[in-house]
Amino acid sequence: MIWGRSYSGYLLVLGWLYVYSASLVSGGDIVHHDDSLPNRPGCNNNFVLVKVPTRVSGKEKEEYVGVGARFGPTLESKEKHATLINLAVADPPDCCTTPKFKLTGEVILVHRGNCSFTTKTKVAEAAGASAIIIINNSTDLFKMVCEKGEDVLDINIPVVMLPLDAGSSLQKFVDANDTVTLQLYSPKRPAVDVAEVFLWLMAVGTILCASYWSAWTAREEAIEQDKLLKDGSDELLQVSTTSSRGVVEITVISAILFVVVASCFLIMLYKLMSFWFIEVLVVLFCIGGVEGLQTCLVALLSCFRWFRSIGEFYVKVPFLGAVSYLTLAICPFCIVSAVIWAVYRQYSFAWIGQDILGISLIITVLQIVRVPNLKVGVVLLSCAFMYDIFWVFVSKWWFRESVMIVVARGDKSGEDGIPMLLKIPRMFDPWGGYSIIGFGDIILPGLLVTFALRYDWLANKKLKSGYFLGAMSAYGLGLLITYIALNLMDGHGQPALLYIVPFILGTLIVLGHKRGDLETLWTTGEPERPCPHARLQPQS
């Protein structure tokens, strides 16, 4: 650590990390409020995003993104098959009545309002348009559906909506007598992107590293206690137990209160989300990232004799106490790394720095915060399970949108999501974006996985006869099913704990019951060890 073992601060870090940890969310979500109307013939299209690359006087300009309507023919999925068409502006602008000029296959640009979407489309098609682009009255995208009571529709031209800013830009070019041409196509996302594979490996690998570090630390503590026990030194044993077990152990009450407090804090974030709020989160993330990166680097370098010898010398720093030379040498590098990420976080390569800081912080939290037994783990993950489901799905009934997903994306903040996420760019997705996973989807299950490996090592269990292999496999399988569900749901956010928690808890409980260790796992969480005074009693 940088400033000594401030473990109570790490518990607070764990709290706000999970508050921000949304489940997997894919980029390109659209805002909509009217997709509840029933499908019927002629009005049963899937809503799809549409790319609109433009040319002005033969020169390539911006590529806009719109949304297709529930009615009309489907669009081409590849740009090379999409026809380059001239653009015309409707007169009257709303296209609720026949245009004043005859169209010869142009795409007509109209404004939303004064009549239904289907009415505009029928008027445009009758006037000779090959497609219609409707400009929304805001910068959001609105899903266009058929009106109630409309009969079977026979619409044969594509219908696309663009946000207000994009539509206004196109209209300005046409009003300036520039020749505007464009294409309309809707590329399909790949069923599985390689980014999801790497993100899965990243999450599993992070828990794997944190588990072995935590188990190694616990075993060293046990060996130290056994040595002191053998020497018969009660005083040294007491000092060692107090100093070496510098961890935060979660209790049943704190697990329950944690979810309650996290829910309140999540609502506050949802209501107060803004650019400045994101800036505060960035600062907090940098502080935690520096602490985590420094802790991991010190532990890693201490494996080498030369660095370990440097770490054995300390210097007293005002207000900070004793700090090792190794810590002082590494600290500036960690601070500079976090500052560089914060400054360049809007760039395309910034996800690398965010993931390095995030993984370091997660590993450090899993090293310091511990679940003492299976009972606490069951309570914690069960509460988190309900927390995830409520704020991803149920919250839509009260707030008309998923609170968890809105907070994770950083809506209304002007930023590309909150920093408390691991993310990898979707490399082969024509729509771009990131595959992401929240810190809580790694930390909370990781607490139980690290507990399983600590128990195995203290009980001298082999890999196949222990509980770590089962817990680790359950986490990997649960996360894999999360990604499958994510793709089946067309990229809509999924609460990862919905799939992970049943696998992990079910695996540990079933294995514990089958092997006869369930009572020990549930209560003490540690294999039986000799009483500290047992060897000090005189023989009778």
Side-chain angles (χ1 to χ4, degrees):
M1 313 285 166
I2 297 180
W3 320 132
R5 291 186 172 268
S6 54
Y7 299 117
S8 59
Y10 267 100
L11 186 59
L12 179 62
V13 169
L14 177 61
W16 60 258
L17 282 179
Y18 181 61
V19 166
Y20 294 117
S21 58
S23 295
L24 300 174
V25 180
S26 99
D29 289 344
I30 6 181
V31 179
H32 59 91
H33 307 286
D34 60 352
D35 60 344
S36 59
L37 295 179
N39 294 339
R40 51 187 177 276
C43 192
N44 54 3
N45 291 348
N46 291 325
F47 291 111
V48 294
L49 292 175
V50 179
K51 287 194 173 187
V52 187
T54 61
R55 292 173 177 265
V56 177
S57 299
K59 296 181 180 179
E60 291 186 2
K61 290 293 183 180
E62 288 189 57
E63 181 178 82
Y64 303 105
V65 175
V67 60
R70 183 167 281 176
F71 49 89
T74 57
L75 293 165
E76 291 287 349
S77 61
K78 295 184 179 179
E79 184 178 7
K80 63 181 180 180
H81 295 155
T83 306
L84 194 64
I85 313 172
N86 289 331
L87 179 70
V89 175
D91 185 13
D94 57 16
C95 199
C96 292
T97 57
T98 303
K100 296 179 180 180
F101 53 88
K102 186 68 177 177
L103 298 172
T104 56
E106 293 89 350
V107 176
I108 187 169
L109 186 67
V110 309
H111 286 266
R112 179 182 175 182
N114 299 330
C115 61
S116 68
F117 297 124
T118 53
T119 298
K120 296 176 186 291
T121 305
K122 290 177 180 179
V123 171
E125 184 177 4
S130 61
I132 179 173
I133 294 179
I134 300 176
I135 304 174
N136 196 17
N137 50 19
S138 68
T139 55
D140 295 327
L141 290 175
F142 194 87
K143 286 191 173 181
M144 297 176 287
V145 298
C146 305
E147 296 293 327
K148 292 182 179 180
E150 286 185 320
D151 297 328
V152 177
L153 297 176
D154 185 19
I155 293 176
N156 300 302
I157 63 172
V159 186
V160 177
M161 173 172 282
L162 287 180
L164 179 60
D165 51 354
S168 299
S169 297
L170 290 176
Q171 185 168 354
K172 287 180 181 178
F173 288 124
V174 176
D175 292 342
N177 295 321
D178 291 323
T179 301
V180 179
T181 55
L182 51 80
Q183 294 171 285
L184 300 174
Y185 70 104
S186 179
K188 297 179 180 179
R189 282 194 167 102
V192 178
D193 193 272
V194 67
E196 296 171 352
V197 177
F198 282 114
L199 198 60
W200 184 90
L201 292 172
M202 190 184 298
V204 171
T206 298
I207 292 182
L208 194 66
C209 293
S211 297
Y212 274 95
W213 187 9
S214 179
W216 179 83
T217 303
R219 186 169 64 178
E220 291 296 307
E221 293 172 0
I223 293 174
E224 184 69 19
Q225 291 181 26
D226 287 343
K227 288 181 180 179
L228 293 170
L229 180 63
K230 185 176 181 180
D231 294 339
S233 175
D234 289 344
E235 183 178 356
L236 287 177
L237 178 59
Q238 183 177 2
V239 172
S240 174
T241 303
T242 302
S243 60
S244 63
R245 289 182 57 85
V247 298
V248 173
E249 288 195 346
I250 301 175
T251 64
V252 171
I253 296 177
S254 63
I256 297 173
L257 289 178
F258 163 71
V259 175
V260 175
V261 174
S263 297
C264 297
F265 201 49
L266 187 66
I267 295 176
M268 182 185 73
L269 292 176
Y270 174 72
K271 295 294 185 180
L272 301 179
M273 185 62 67
S274 64
F275 171 78
W276 294 109
F277 213 105
I278 291 290
E279 294 299 307
V280 172
L281 300 186
V282 168
V283 172
L284 292 176
F285 175 74
C286 287
I287 294 173
V290 168
E291 185 81 0
L293 183 60
Q294 178 274 143
T295 302
C296 291
L297 287 177
V298 168
L300 183 62
L301 293 177
S302 295
C303 297
F304 302 95
R305 182 180 303 175
W306 188 77
F307 288 105
R308 185 166 57 248
S309 62
I310 297 177
E312 294 173 353
F313 295 95
Y314 291 80
V315 61
K316 190 172 183 180
V317 180
F319 305 108
L320 302 178
V323 180
S324 71
Y325 286 124
L326 183 59
T327 299
L328 288 178
I330 292 176
C331 183
F333 169 78
C334 298
I335 293 176
V336 170
S337 299
V339 171
I340 291 176
W341 170 82
V343 172
Y344 293 97
R345 69 182 184 277
Q346 299 291 350
Y347 287 74
S348 59
F349 56 80
W351 64 272
I352 300 174
Q354 180 171 327
D355 288 351
I356 292 174
L357 293 174
I359 290 174
S360 301
L361 182 53
I362 291 172
I363 292 176
T364 302
V365 170
L366 290 176
Q367 162 69 7
I368 294 170
V369 182
R370 294 184 182 178
V371 170
N373 52 52
L374 184 58
K375 178 176 70 174
V376 174
V378 169
V379 172
L380 179 64
L381 289 189
S382 297
C383 291
F385 176 82
M386 293 183 288
Y387 171 93
D388 235 15
I389 293 176
F390 181 86
W391 290 113
V392 173
F393 293 135
V394 182
S395 62
K396 294 179 181 179
W397 298 346
W398 279 275
F399 301 92
R400 296 187 177 181
E401 57 187 354
S402 173
V403 172
M404 180 77 80
I405 293 178
V406 169
V407 171
R409 290 187 311 210
D411 289 2
K412 303 176 183 178
S413 66
E415 294 271 348
D416 186 20
I418 61 173
M420 289 73 178
L421 303 163
L422 298 185
K423 57 193 235 180
I424 296 180
R426 297 179 64 86
M427 304 173 190
F428 299 104
D429 190 336
W431 293 103
Y434 293 88
S435 290
I436 65 175
I437 184 171
F439 284 4
D441 296 330
I442 303 176
I443 291 177
L444 293 177
L447 289 172
L448 213 54
V449 176
T450 56
F451 160 76
L453 187 58
R454 286 197 305 271
Y455 181 88
D456 288 352
W457 280 24
L458 293 176
N460 294 320
K461 289 182 176 290
K462 295 182 179 179
L463 185 63
K464 292 184 178 180
S465 61
Y467 297 94
F468 170 72
L469 181 61
M472 192 74 248
S473 300
Y475 175 78
L477 182 59
L479 187 58
L480 177 63
I481 293 178
T482 302
Y483 280 110
I484 294 175
L486 185 71
N487 286 283
L488 292 177
M489 298 296 178
D490 296 325
H492 293 297
Q494 294 293 303
L497 296 181
L498 170 65
Y499 309 95
I500 295 173
V501 169
F503 276 97
I504 289 185
L505 294 185
T507 299
L508 289 178
I509 291 174
V510 170
L511 287 178
H513 178 73
K514 183 178 179 180
R515 297 169 180 174
D517 297 328
L518 185 57
E519 183 178 355
T520 303
L521 289 168
W522 187 264
T523 54
T524 63
E526 293 184 1
E528 292 185 5
R529 300 181 59 79
C531 176
H533 300 286
R535 298 184 185 180
L536 301 180
Q537 295 175 352
Q539 298 286 339
S540 57

